[in-house]
Amino acid sequence: MLLPRFPATRFQGSKRKILPELAELLHAEPCNSIIDLYSGSGIVSLLFRFMGKRVLANDYLRYNQNTARLFLSHTAEDFKGLTAEADLAYLLNHRESTFKSTVAEAFAGIYFKDAENLEIDNFCQNIQGFSGFKKALYTYAVGQALIKKRPYNLFHRANLDMRLKDVKRSFGNAKTWETATQVHALKCIQELARFPSPEGQAHQALRVDTANLAPLPVDYDVVYLDPPYMNDKSVPVNYSNFYHFLEGLCDYSLFQHGDARYPHRPIVNLGSPWHKKASALDNIGAICRHFSQSRLVMSYRSDGTPTPAEIQAAMQACGRQVEIRTVRGYQYALSKNTGNEEIFIVAR
Ligand SMILES: C[S@@+](CC[C@H](N)C(=O)[O-])C[C@H]1O[C@@H](n2cnc3c(N)ncnc32)[C@H](O)[C@@H]1O
């Protein structure tokens, strides 16, 4: 299947690079409807929409839900006559007499320069006057811009000084960090505008913590799982900690509640079954049982914790037939597991 160019993303663990392989796998696994249970950057949901599936995206972070909703609903019509440059200039710079400097005060010297923090305050207050497509689009675009302007593209450390130090760097990209939020955001909008948006299908984007699956519908043909990665030393990727700051773009009041016990002042701090081995395996069992009518397709890495063999056993214990293959389509030999390879685990 020939795929169009998907919008760029610096989201940690994005599956953008393996979209062709995922598309190929789903061709062999015919289905009309699919859940993207851990949608992250939204790029996989966008692929499923492009493939003509009815899609339900889910992620427990607000910003990711906003992106998925945008990716599953935008149309070419929405971009016609859009004055993105002027809208962004207004959103990032306009200041009402009732202006509040919540971010500038609470996050001074932590992630962004003072003037950049004030832009974020402006944005969060001005975006309240927008709704629907435009609100979702500008929130997405400004969030992507902020990710690009961060060392490591994350919000897990109070390390603005890394950007400001006048040293020769062997990492990062000083030019990208110093590029204006508006410039990054506009580029991001232009990329999405170029992406085709097929008609039809009623998609949705939810924000459900998979620790409690009850709110999720059970009548989808396939459930695609790309949970947070835990490495072979059981060190998890904590997405809530990595991206908490973006939650404030979706709910400005959160910026008032940064946790001052930590230098990086997280504004949300969510646990996940995927932060510990035992709860991850329990979650796999719960997912198999909840979606008993659905086939499961899981993206995983061969050196992950739990191991692929442990995940296979947990799925088999729920009566599933399990096939593990490499992303390139080869049979994956559990016994020869060395290195760190992207794999698919399919449970029928
Ligand atoms: C590996 S990322 C998904 C990446 C995505 N497939 C992509 O291509 O961008 C895992 C996602 O799971 C979400 N997540 C973690 N724990 C969760 C939970 N308990 N319930 C729902 N979402 C969760 C995180 O917010 C993160 O966005």
Side-chain angles (χ1 to χ4, degrees):
M1 181 180 207
L2 198 61
L3 297 181
R5 192 178 158 73
F6 279 70
T9 174
R10 301 203 180 187
F11 189 82
Q12 175 104 15
S14 146
K15 291 293 169 285
R16 187 172 183 273
K17 284 209 182 101
I18 62 157
L19 292 178
E21 289 82 358
L22 190 52
E24 205 174 300
L25 176 80
L26 284 169
H27 263 304
E29 212 51 58
C31 67
N32 295 319
S33 59
I34 185 156
I35 296 182
D36 183 6
L37 194 59
Y38 300 95
S39 63
S41 71
I43 210 89
V44 172
S45 288
L46 191 59
L47 170 74
F48 294 159
R49 180 186 182 194
F50 177 78
M51 293 177 74
K53 313 295 180 196
R54 182 165 61 91
V55 188
L56 187 161
N58 178 64
D59 198 288
Y60 74 174
L61 292 178
R62 291 169 181 77
Y63 178 79
N64 295 348
Q65 180 192 27
N66 178 78
T67 304
R69 188 175 285 147
L70 173 70
F71 283 8
L72 291 176
S73 63
H74 76 276
T75 64
E77 202 60 33
D78 289 326
F79 286 99
K80 278 192 193 138
L82 186 77
T83 51
E85 199 168 349
D87 287 347
L88 284 168
Y90 165 82
L91 286 165
L92 293 164
N93 299 307
H94 176 76
R95 206 162 285 178
E96 291 285 337
S97 56
T98 52
F99 173 75
K100 292 195 207 96
S101 49
T102 311
V103 176
E105 286 170 37
F107 289 91
I110 294 185
Y111 298 121
F112 297 107
K113 295 177 178 175
D114 294 346
E116 294 166 341
N117 281 336
L118 286 168
E119 278 186 343
I120 297 170
D121 279 315
N122 290 335
F123 177 84
C124 291
Q125 289 162 69
N126 294 328
I127 196 71
Q128 299 315 323
F130 288 65
S131 60
F133 166 72
K134 281 191 184 181
K135 187 174 186 182
L137 177 72
Y138 294 136
T139 302
Y140 159 69
V142 168
Q144 293 301 305
L146 297 184
I147 290 178
K148 284 189 184 167
K149 286 171 68 62
R150 289 284 308 139
Y152 308 111
N153 304 124
L154 298 174
F155 298 88
H156 66 323
R157 284 194 202 124
N159 55 1
L160 174 63
D161 57 330
M162 205 175 240
R163 248 182 80 180
L164 305 182
K165 269 187 217 147
D166 193 16
V167 292
K168 212 172 161 49
R169 292 193 181 84
S170 57
F171 65 91
N173 186 336
K175 194 166 167 243
T176 308
W177 296 339
E178 298 315 317
T179 298
T181 304
Q182 183 174 338
V183 173
H184 281 310
L186 195 60
K187 188 167 172 231
C188 174
I189 290 171
Q190 287 160 348
E191 281 182 20
L192 187 62
R194 280 195 290 272
F195 193 85
S197 48
E199 298 289 311
Q201 301 281 25
H203 309 295
Q204 53 177 324
L206 301 183
R207 183 162 66 90
V208 173
D209 183 340
T210 63
N212 172 18
L213 297 158
L216 292 165
V218 296
D219 56 347
Y220 279 70
D221 298 330
V222 169
V223 177
Y224 171 70
L225 321 175
D226 182 19
Y229 169 66
M230 224 185 309
N231 70 13
D232 51 359
K233 295 180 180 65
S234 294
V235 177
V237 175
N238 184 334
Y239 281 89
S240 160
N241 194 42
F242 277 6
Y243 295 108
H244 67 95
F245 191 83
L246 301 180
E247 299 298 89
L249 299 181
C250 302
D251 180 348
Y252 186 42
S253 69
L254 293 172
F255 282 125
Q256 294 166 21
H257 307 296
D259 189 339
R261 288 177 301 169
Y262 305 95
H264 70 305
R265 311 244 164 95
I267 64 171
V268 296
N269 183 3
L270 303 176
S272 174
W274 295 92
H275 294 170
K276 290 228 164 75
K277 178 178 168 176
S279 48
L281 282 171
D282 284 350
N283 208 214
I284 279 287
I287 288 167
C288 285
R289 288 188 296 275
H290 183 77
F291 298 108
S292 61
Q293 304 165 36
S294 315
R295 282 160 283 153
L296 307 181
V297 173
M298 183 170 187
S299 272
Y300 210 63
R301 273 157 84 155
S302 57
D303 70 341
T305 300
T307 63
E310 286 165 334
I311 291 191
Q312 181 182 46
M315 290 171 160
Q316 285 169 337
C318 298
R320 300 283 187 152
Q321 294 209 322
V322 182
E323 185 196 328
I324 307 186
R325 43 184 286 188
T326 67
V327 160
R328 297 225 175 99
Y330 303 116
Q331 185 82 28
Y332 176 73
L334 284 173
S335 55
K336 292 193 188 137
N337 174 21
T338 51
N340 173 4
E341 197 176 0
E342 296 251 20
I343 56 174
F344 290 128
I345 304 176
V346 182
R348 299 187 177 87

